[in-house]
Amino acid sequence: MTVRWGVIGTGGIARTFVGDCTAAGVVFTAVGSRTQESADAFAAEHGIPHAHGSYEDLVADDEVDAVYVATPHSRHAQDALLAIAAGKHVLVEKAFTITADEARTVVDAARRADVAVMEAMWTRFLPQMTMIRELVAEGRIGRPRLVEATHHQALPDDPTHRLNDPALGGGAILDLGVYPISFAIDVLGAPTAVAAAGTLSDQGVDTQMGIVMTHEGGTQSTVHFALDVRSPNTASIIGEDGRIDVDATWYTPTTWRLRDRDGAVVEEFDGREELSGYAHEVRAFEAMVASGDHEGGAMDPEETVVVMAAMDEARRQVGVRYAADSASSTVG
């Protein structure tokens, strides 16, 4: 079946996503913005036939089967619930919501409406990550003991920019930290304990944070992220019999090497020809819609809730508070 997509939001990530997916043959039929002018400009830029001047009109469009939510973090839950109430399948940009409580509300609403919902953690769907998952499952590095990953970028320091505004879910953790945290949970499972330390901006959001998570069986992950410095952004999965080293930039199409216990290269892969790769997650989502099975897969909704709970606890320890925080879930 052909899934017809609508887009909520016309910012930078929406442009990148639609451009990449259109090139791969994904069908976009409508876009919605808070202003008609913005919707019209986006539709003209990407050849989308229908432009709506409100999100309500977008989700009411009968020619839309699934909605991609690309608004700021602070609106993710609200906009996802709007689409779900209209009977649309929903792909929500990461971070999925502000809190685990919001994530649980969205996931439960989708179940009741019998529509698919998924976090747009595109990294999990890249061929390189599928292969890495298989190597770990096959025991090629023995029992995994440690995951290490970083995500550092030098981003705008304007205090009014959404990345620095607590009212919009600003800070490093929701934009950058979600990648290595999700990666660690993908490999090692849900954390049983979280220990975090970080630095806050004058606006009260995290500029940097380091987290150590303990997972089942005493395995650990160490992640660090920051929005005001750059680093190579590499990752490793270290096992009792070897390790997998993922090169810069690990969360995009890149190269990796499987090494034995002595560090010798056993196998390697180069995925850089993928260029961007957002279409992988869309095709996986469309397959989920077509099958009618809305659970499981590389980014299961229940695991998204686990990721959000880990971030809630890290934020609590560091002192990052958002308006959505009231009775957020915690771990550890």
Side-chain angles (χ1 to χ4, degrees):
M1 64 176 286
T2 297
V3 176
R4 301 167 300 175
W5 284 87
V7 181
I8 289 181
T10 56
I13 185 60
R15 278 207 246 359
T16 301
F17 178 89
V18 171
D20 187 62
C21 292
T22 298
V26 177
V27 176
F28 292 92
T29 56
V31 60
S33 179
R34 285 175 293 179
T35 68
Q36 189 65 52
E37 292 77 12
S38 178
D40 288 340
F42 191 94
E45 179 182 352
H46 296 283
I48 297 175
H50 301 294
H52 299 288
S54 74
Y55 302 151
E56 290 79 8
D57 287 347
L58 180 281
V59 302
D61 191 326
D62 290 336
E63 294 188 35
V64 170
D65 304 308
V67 170
Y68 168 60
V69 174
T71 48
H73 304 307
S74 55
R75 287 196 58 99
H76 282 184
Q78 175 185 350
D79 295 335
L81 291 170
L82 181 72
I84 290 167
K88 310 299 185 185
H89 306 286
V90 188
L91 180 65
V92 185
E93 191 49 60
K94 68 204 128 17
F96 189 70
T97 52
I98 292 285
T99 68
D101 285 347
E102 286 188 344
R104 169 56 62 199
T105 298
V106 171
V107 170
D108 288 349
R111 284 201 181 111
R112 288 193 299 270
D114 193 26
V115 297
V117 67
M118 191 176 82
E119 181 181 14
M121 179 51 72
W122 68 290
T123 299
R124 287 200 180 201
F125 298 89
L126 296 174
Q128 71 196 40
M129 301 306 291
T130 300
M131 296 173 72
I132 288 170
R133 227 177 268 121
E134 290 171 352
L135 292 175
V136 173
E138 290 167 2
R140 298 287 298 278
I141 61 170
R143 177 174 173 254
R145 292 285 299 277
L146 173 65
V147 169
E148 299 176 328
T150 61
H151 191 176
H152 302 123
Q153 293 191 43
L155 299 173
D157 60 4
D158 178 356
T160 65
H161 193 285
R162 73 156 188 92
L163 289 165
N164 305 304
D165 186 351
L168 298 177
I173 189 165
L174 294 185
D175 261 273
L176 308 181
V178 65
Y179 283 89
I181 293 168
S182 185
F183 176 58
I185 290 172
D186 186 13
V187 176
L188 298 177
T192 57
V194 173
T199 303
L200 301 185
S201 71
D202 292 340
Q203 289 74 43
V205 300
D206 59 309
T207 58
Q208 67 171 349
M209 196 183 297
I211 303 174
V212 177
M213 293 188 287
T214 303
H215 305 260
E216 184 179 357
T219 61
Q220 286 191 322
S221 58
T222 63
V223 304
H224 194 276
F225 43 92
L227 49 67
D228 56 358
V229 295
R230 289 187 175 94
S231 79
N233 289 328
T234 59
S236 292
I237 304 170
I238 302 166
E240 293 175 342
D241 299 323
R243 73 178 192 266
I244 302 168
D245 293 328
V246 191
D247 296 320
T249 302
W250 71 264
Y251 49 84
T252 68
T254 187
T255 55
W256 57 255
R257 287 168 308 287
L258 170 66
R259 297 181 182 271
D260 64 19
R261 192 183 183 108
D262 297 323
V265 176
V266 176
E267 186 176 335
E268 51 192 335
F269 173 78
D270 188 341
R272 288 173 292 183
E273 73 278 1
E274 286 289 327
L275 298 179
S276 181
Y278 288 99
H280 291 294
E281 69 179 351
V282 173
R283 292 310 189 195
F285 186 82
E286 290 179 340
M288 189 165 62
V289 169
S291 71
D293 184 0
H294 301 154
E295 306 292 328
M299 192 68 253
D300 182 75
E302 286 298 322
E303 193 156 283
T304 287
V305 177
V306 170
V307 170
M308 293 305 310
M311 293 200 292
D312 281 357
E313 177 60 14
R315 288 194 299 104
R316 184 191 68 79
Q317 293 180 24
V318 173
V320 180
R321 298 284 297 175
Y322 299 126
D325 289 310
S326 54
S328 295
S329 303
T330 61
V331 294

